[in-house]
Amino acid sequence: MKFAYRFSGLLGTVYRRGNLSFTRDGSSLVSPVGNRISLFDLKNNKCETLPLATRHNIVCVGLSPDGSLAILVDEEGAALLVSLVGKSVIHQFHFHKPVHSVSFSPDGKKFVITKDNVALMYHAPGKKREFNAFVLDKTYYGPYDETTCIDWTDDSKCFAVGSKDMSTWVFGAERWANLIYYSLGGHKDVIVACFFEENSLDLYTVSQDGALCVWQCDTELDGLKPMPPKEARKKNRIKEDEEFLEESKGEEIHGKAHPNEQEIREKVKYSRVAKYFFNKEGDFNNLTSAAYHKKTHLLVTGFASGVFHLHELPDFNLIHSLSISDQRIASISINCTGDWIAFGCSGLGQLLVWEWQSESYVLKQQGHFNSMVSLAYSPDGQYIVTGGEDGKVKVWNTSSSFCFVTFTDHTSGVTAVTFTSSGYVILSASLDGTVRAFDLHRYRNFRTFTSPRPSQFSCLAVDSSGEIVSAGSQDSFEIYIWSMQSGRLLDVLAGHEGPISSLSFNPVKCVLASGSWDKTVKLWDMLDSWRTKETLMLNSDVLVVAFRPDGKELAVASLNGQITFWDHENAVQVGSIEGRHDLQMGRKELDKITAKQSAKGKSFTTLCYSADGQSILAGGLSKFVCIYNVKEQILMKKFEISCNLSLDAMEEYLDRRKMTEFGSMALIDEGAGDEDGVAIPLPGVKRGDMSYRRFKPEIRVTCLRFSPTGRSWAATTTEGLLIYSLDSGLIFDPFELDIDVTPSNIRKTLHQKEYAMAIIMALKLNEKKLIQEVIEAVPSDEVEVVCSSLPDLYVEKVLEFLASAFEISCHLEFYLIWAHKLLMLHGQKLKTRSQKLLPVIQFLQKSIQRHFEDVSKLCEWNIYNIKYALAISQQRGMKRLAETSVDEEESESDSDYLMQEGHKDSLSS
């Protein structure tokens, strides 16, 4: 068992807050998800979460024009400079205050950030090595209130900044003689967005009350004059003086809202040409976001009611209007071609990409808007099903990271989900008193299991055949057994004296284990009329039970923080782990006691055996997931699932700076005036939701599951569905290595056409690229001979390599020949070690199944195209036949006519 697992993907959450951004080619979308960013490849239908994270939730993302760099800024103002090519952090910086927006100049040489009431312009990191990546160039003052948005002119000479004080400011990136700053008014509410027209200084400003102002400039971009030489020299002297300072502050430009006549003489002038209103009918309350595509003159505006408008500027012609959600649209982005529009709704965690010309969705994804409670892998490890407190059951594809079906039949929170052994049926238990079975062929709810009297189901289990379904109740203390075929209630198992917390079927025998708050685990024999076979007594309330994959051991987690292991055949405890201290609880902001004291009452709430049964995963109300060795009963590794300080209970000690003599500063709801909330300082305010409160969700792990392939495990957490995969590329893990096994010796053996020996040597060295080189060098007609001469120990290794090679290689038929020959020649011997080899075989099956689905789709498409081409050719053939027959008829009629005329002429003569 290896422990080189690393974070590989985030599912279940597609958007939280912050601005969406399309990449340079317009085919990928960057979406901030909590303190991480996800990259949605819209053409290849894949999603990837970058393996980096900020310390708080990301609020703004700035992409460089060439698409290679990104600046991520979190709630506290800490920034990461990230390479999107290498997917790594290049530089860290802190702006010391919350940042509202960040934008690179179109030429990529500068970027501007807005914080408080100032705009700061920095030199953008270049291609060459620099001591400091963020060098401040200029600081722009002007607005009285917080700045909200930025937009640049196409030639990077000027930029505009919107503010909450209802003004928009145009600043020169350089000190132009006729434009240093210019202030624009005309609005009665907060400026949401401002946009320059293409290759022009003309400007559009959009405010929160749904007003659009069109501003015309009397000067073209080419008309901006450089500063006179005297002033330029003066400026350079100031810069030289700054170099001797410890830290360069950059040049400061102070704008005035009402400059005197001398200051505006021979300067650029703006005039308002038109003013338009979006909500004339009063249908929409607040304009929340906007985006503008300069080439097509397309303005997209989003509202708090979930409606968006498309207008053509400057004439303000409405193209269309559509409601896509019942929550506020938090962010809008348009791709470079102007075809796709991305919308983010933070309230429900929705992400939509809309193609406005064909009026169709390119992407429509939504996570669980309440926390996820449970998950289960499909038997081949290709799909993951999740259940949430919002009552939804979602199925995710592990290779693309997209949700492809959502079932909304439950009317209350889902407490447990599982797959049957066939992999095409999903079962879910809910607090609404039903257990539902969903069909993945037709995507429908085909069975609903209920109890004789209403009962809330807290746990669920299905036997290995998929015929028997059981669910535990948390109010009647009973276990209900149904038949999958008929849907009838077979039996009600009574005996527990407390709520049923967990159920688990033995994978090999017909035995059901049930754990309860009455400090007992009962084993029920399915073949003996569901009689209690054994009752295991524990010292504390039982929270979760789990059978080992071979069915010979039972793990039980209890409220006192212990994990106990039982030989259930003889009802004997064979081991225990004291895990309370390994949980390492954090202290919540409003906790009266320390984390160390509160940890005494905490315990593991979810358990899961690894695919080979040698290790066990455990998690609970903590940011850590622990992996233990079952045999040695020691902690092997702790995974920190999140470093996001925007979540509660992340730190062990409270920040003393937030404590006052009257209590914690966390008790003051400072953010109540933001977004949907009410501005508390203003008396008599009616706008917004009076009940709105900002709260910090608590970090927790609600469910853990190992993939049947043994190469990954998943956890449902406050952050979303996290997947950790086995990273074989970062470790050197040789197998039975001796001094003669070197790459040069392996290639020498291969050159001598001793293929079996070369494969064994390559497997000993365990370098993936070398194994691939050796296996691909074997001629296809000699594969059978090589397979027959491989020792049994190395057959498993070759199968494992083939399974991983199927995922990336294009030599599909060649590797299928290898898999077929190995299984045919060594099938009987492999069957004797089926339990140990099951993860490898399932991994191989998953890879082949994915290729089968892809190739079958391609073949069906090709068959359709061939049929279409044949139909067209037949149609054209029929037309040609018809045309030739008409021509023949015409020629015959012409010849008849000529013969008649000739006969007449002969008669007359």
Side-chain angles (χ1 to χ4, degrees), residues 321-385:
S321 174
L322 190 73
S323 176
I324 55 166
S325 176
D326 55 357
Q327 297 279 331
R328 69 191 290 273
I329 298 172
S331 178
I332 300 176
S333 180
I334 310 174
N335 76 338
C336 56
T337 58
D339 297 327
W340 294 347
I341 305 164
F343 300 96
C345 302
S346 54
L348 295 173
Q350 286 177 314
L351 182 64
L352 306 135
V353 179
W354 173 259
E355 188 169 14
W356 65 274
Q357 287 167 329
S358 63
E359 297 189 14
S360 61
Y361 286 109
V362 176
L363 174 76
K364 190 177 183 182
Q365 290 285 301
Q366 181 182 340
H368 292 276
F369 59 85
N370 277 351
S371 57
M372 276 184 275
V373 175
S374 58
L375 82 112
Y377 269 98
S378 64
D380 60 359
Q382 211 166 357
Y383 306 119
I384 293 177
V385 60

Side-chain angles (χ1 to χ4, degrees), residues 367-406:
H368 292 276
F369 59 85
N370 277 351
S371 57
M372 276 184 275
V373 175
S374 58
L375 82 112
Y377 269 98
S378 64
D380 60 359
Q382 211 166 357
Y383 306 119
I384 293 177
V385 60
T386 57
E389 287 178 357
D390 55 1
K392 291 180 180 176
V393 175
K394 288 179 172 285
V395 189
W396 306 83
N397 189 318
T398 53
S399 54
S400 69
S401 301
F402 282 129
C403 170
F404 62 91
V405 62
T406 303

Side-chain angles (χ1 to χ4, degrees), residues 794-906:
Y794 293 94
V795 171
E796 183 188 338
K797 297 272 180 191
V798 175
L799 281 172
E800 196 174 332
F801 167 76
L802 290 175
S804 60
F806 265 118
E807 294 194 324
I808 50 170
S809 179
C810 56
H811 304 300
L812 189 57
E813 188 185 358
F814 180 73
Y815 283 120
L816 280 171
I817 292 167
W818 268 97
H820 179 251
K821 296 298 180 191
L822 279 171
L823 293 170
M824 289 298 287
L825 292 165
H826 299 273
Q828 288 299 323
K829 289 176 184 176
L830 292 173
K831 206 171 181 180
T832 58
R833 294 183 290 139
S834 59
Q835 283 296 327
K836 192 182 175 187
L837 287 171
L838 191 62
V840 176
I841 300 297
Q842 283 177 329
F843 184 33
L844 186 68
Q845 184 195 349
K846 175 190 171 185
S847 303
I848 294 171
Q849 181 69 26
R850 190 171 62 82
H851 278 296
F852 170 72
E853 286 173 5
D854 292 345
V855 172
S856 60
K857 279 179 190 172
L858 187 65
C859 291
E860 283 169 11
W861 177 244
N862 288 344
I863 289 165
Y864 169 76
N865 283 338
I866 290 163
K867 283 181 178 177
Y868 179 70
L870 284 170
I872 286 174
S873 65
Q874 283 172 2
Q875 201 173 7
R876 284 180 179 172
M878 295 285 284
K879 273 186 181 179
R880 281 175 190 162
L881 280 169
E883 284 171 6
T884 51
S885 63
V886 168
D887 291 345
E888 283 172 5
E889 283 174 10
E890 283 177 359
S891 62
E892 282 175 11
S893 61
D894 289 347
S895 61
D896 290 346
Y897 175 75
L898 288 167
M899 282 174 72
Q900 286 173 6
E901 288 295 315
H903 185 64
K904 281 179 185 176
D905 291 344
S906 63

Side-chain angles (χ1 to χ4, degrees), residues 542-559:
V542 176
L543 299 178
V544 60
V545 293
F547 274 104
R548 203 166 69 185
D550 62 0
K552 291 179 181 176
E553 189 176 81
L554 180 70
V556 181
S558 51
L559 194 62

Side-chain angles (χ1 to χ4, degrees), residues 17 89 109 174 257 326 348 397 466 692 771:
R17 61 179 293 197
V89 177
K109 292 180 180 176
E174 300 293 333
D326 55 357
L348 295 173
N397 189 318
Y692 178 83
I771 298 169

